[in-house]
Amino acid sequence: MAKKIGILTSGGDAPGMNAAVRAVTRSALTKGIEVIGIQRGYVGLLNKEFVEMNARTVSGIIQRGGTCLYTARCPEFRNMEGVMKGKAVCDELGLEGIVVIGGDGSFRGAGDLSNAGIPCIGLPGTIDNDIQCTEYTIGYDTAMNTAMEMIDKLRDTTQSHDRCSVVEVMGRKAGYIAVNVGIAVGAEAVITLEREYDLDAIAAKMVKVKNSKNGKHHFIIVVAEGVGQTENIAKSLQEMTGIESRVTILGHVQRGGSPTLRDRVLATEMGYHAVELLEQGIGNRIVGLKDGKVYDIDLQEGLAMKKPFLDHRYDVFYDTAY
Ligand code: ADP
Ligand code: F6P
């Protein structure tokens, strides 16, 4: 039975991380487990940047974006020397487990530390929803809602000027945000890494729609960041259609802001589940969502899984986007 655990946030931040920190802290305290906050991810573990967590240190954070524990990337933790140094710090402090909130990179570190003898539980915290073994990651819903609100504003000016706005949404390796946001804002095209795209066809569709009876004169094209061609896409579409185009890169604004209800609730349930595992001395697991329910899976097995893309949703989008 664990009596003292640590918690850290690592990699890119995501709205809802604070809700997870609060849930882990409060559910551990309820079980009589002491909680140590580790600041700046694995960097703080190696540098011993600790804060004691109590019921009040997590008061008033459930509605706040960012992470109260700060986050960082720690190249040193990618090799065994760094991991063993981390294990020594845990032993020194008497930590019997750590909850790691982050993405797949952070989980690999958690797996290494688990193998070194410190049970770690990974909680999926990334706006990209690109963790293989879970249907949902903390921050995804808030980021999509932020992008949707921003693009709704963008449509106003795009429409006034009869322009085409090519909007880049986040997603380094994944187009989940792009597809959902594309549907939600009524975009005319969505371009992602997962599906082939044909700029000639998109341009032809724009011209056809523009020239149709009661034609539409403005267009929103959503591009996932990972495609890496946003400027070129805008330039090509302008050349091919003659419609004046502008690029908007939404960027890190999508990572901030108050988490949605969905993010707060799932972060809370996932945090609670992580403590239940650590309480029993179980580590090397990822907590995720499967068929709408919180579950856990072996860390390495979870990372090796392949996540399906939103193929059906993508097709639904294209049949309703004109
Ligand atoms: P994310 O967790 O959001 O995917 P990163 O990929 O930047 O973000 O990883 C965050 C941190 O996790 C890294 O700075 C490093 O400390 C640790 N990490 C990443 N990849 C590995 C790995 N292969 N092995 C061990 N630790 C890793
Ligand atoms: O993984 C989340 C994410 O926001 C990606 O969508 C984006 O490419 C990346 O992080 C940006 O990371 P950084 O904070 O290093 O700019």
Side-chain angles (χ1 to χ4, degrees):
M1 300 293 268
K3 281 282 153 233
K4 191 175 186 180
I5 63 170
I7 178 164
L8 62 84
T9 51
S10 164
D13 65 350
M17 280 184 165
N18 279 328
V21 169
R22 172 184 176 276
V24 168
T25 303
R26 292 261 176 95
S27 40
L29 293 175
T30 301
K31 292 175 188 297
I33 300 170
E34 197 182 330
V35 185
I36 300 296
I38 302 163
Q39 295 181 324
R40 299 181 179 80
Y42 297 119
V43 172
L45 177 65
L46 301 187
N47 294 342
K48 305 183 187 173
E49 292 180 58
F50 301 130
V51 282
E52 204 190 302
M53 307 297 279
N54 61 49
R56 294 287 74 79
T57 53
V58 294
S59 283
I61 65 168
I62 196 166
Q63 77 280 15
R64 288 192 9 225
T67 160
C68 65
L69 288 176
Y70 305 93
T71 185
R73 297 197 164 97
C74 177
E76 204 184 337
F77 214 74
R78 285 173 178 267
N79 56 57
M80 252 354 249
E81 221 181 304
V83 173
M84 293 319 290
K85 194 171 155 193
K87 145 106 171 111
V89 173
C90 291
D91 288 342
E92 193 185 312
L93 202 69
L95 290 184
E96 294 158 288
I98 297 185
V99 178
V100 173
I101 310 170
D104 54 355
S106 305
F107 290 176
R108 286 179 211 286
D112 291 345
L113 196 54
S114 295
N115 290 335
I118 305 296
C120 293
I121 304 293
L123 288 194
T126 164
I127 65 164
D128 292 353
N129 199 31
D130 62 347
I131 296 179
Q132 297 83 335
C133 57
T134 179
E135 288 158 9
Y136 191 81
T137 60
I138 297 163
Y140 180 45
D141 191 53
T142 306
M144 289 192 294
N145 277 288
T146 300
M148 180 184 75
E149 283 169 26
M150 296 294 131
I151 300 173
D152 285 348
K153 291 181 203 291
L154 193 59
R155 188 180 279 283
D156 294 343
T157 170
T158 306
Q159 181 165 18
S160 305
H161 287 266
D162 289 336
R163 280 177 177 157
C164 169
S165 274
V166 179
V167 197
E168 182 181 296
V169 297
M170 269 189 166
R172 188 172 23 198
K173 290 173 282 179
Y176 300 103
I177 295 178
V179 172
N180 286 318
V181 168
I183 290 185
V185 302
E188 280 68 38
V190 167
I191 297 177
T192 71
L193 272 178
E194 293 87 348
R195 297 283 293 251
E196 274 184 30
Y197 63 94
D198 177 350
L199 278 192
D200 290 317
I202 294 173
K205 184 168 100 171
M206 286 167 66
V207 171
K208 189 174 165 207
V209 168
K210 188 179 171 192
N211 294 335
S212 63
K213 196 167 172 252
N214 304 321
K216 177 152 74 173
H217 294 268
H218 74 283
F219 301 87
I220 301 281
I221 313 294
V222 175
V223 183
E225 173 192 1
V227 174
Q229 292 294 329
T230 309
E231 294 279 351
N232 290 339
I233 288 169
K235 198 161 161 266
S236 302
L237 287 178
Q238 178 165 301
E239 280 165 13
M240 286 191 271
T241 62
I243 299 167
E244 191 183 10
S245 298
R246 290 284 188 274
V247 169
T248 301
I249 295 178
L250 293 182
H252 289 79
V253 70
Q254 296 159 97
R255 286 239 299 257
S258 181
T260 59
L261 177 141
R262 184 161 165 76
D263 275 327
R264 296 182 201 190
V265 171
L266 283 172
T268 301
E269 262 202 71
M270 287 178 174
Y272 182 85
H273 192 88
V275 173
E276 285 191 318
L277 293 171
L278 283 185
E279 185 192 20
Q280 300 165 61
I282 299 171
N284 204 37
R285 312 283 296 174
I286 295 173
V287 174
L289 201 69
K290 187 181 174 194
D291 301 325
K293 291 200 178 74
V294 172
Y295 86 121
D296 58 273
I297 181 169
D298 174 78
L299 195 144
Q300 282 75 24
E301 196 186 319
L303 287 179
M305 284 168 72
K306 194 169 161 28
K307 187 164 181 162
F309 188 56
L310 301 169
D311 282 318
H312 177 66
R313 199 167 288 179
Y314 188 87
D315 294 337
V316 167
F317 165 78
Y318 265 101
D319 283 349
T320 54
Y322 55 87

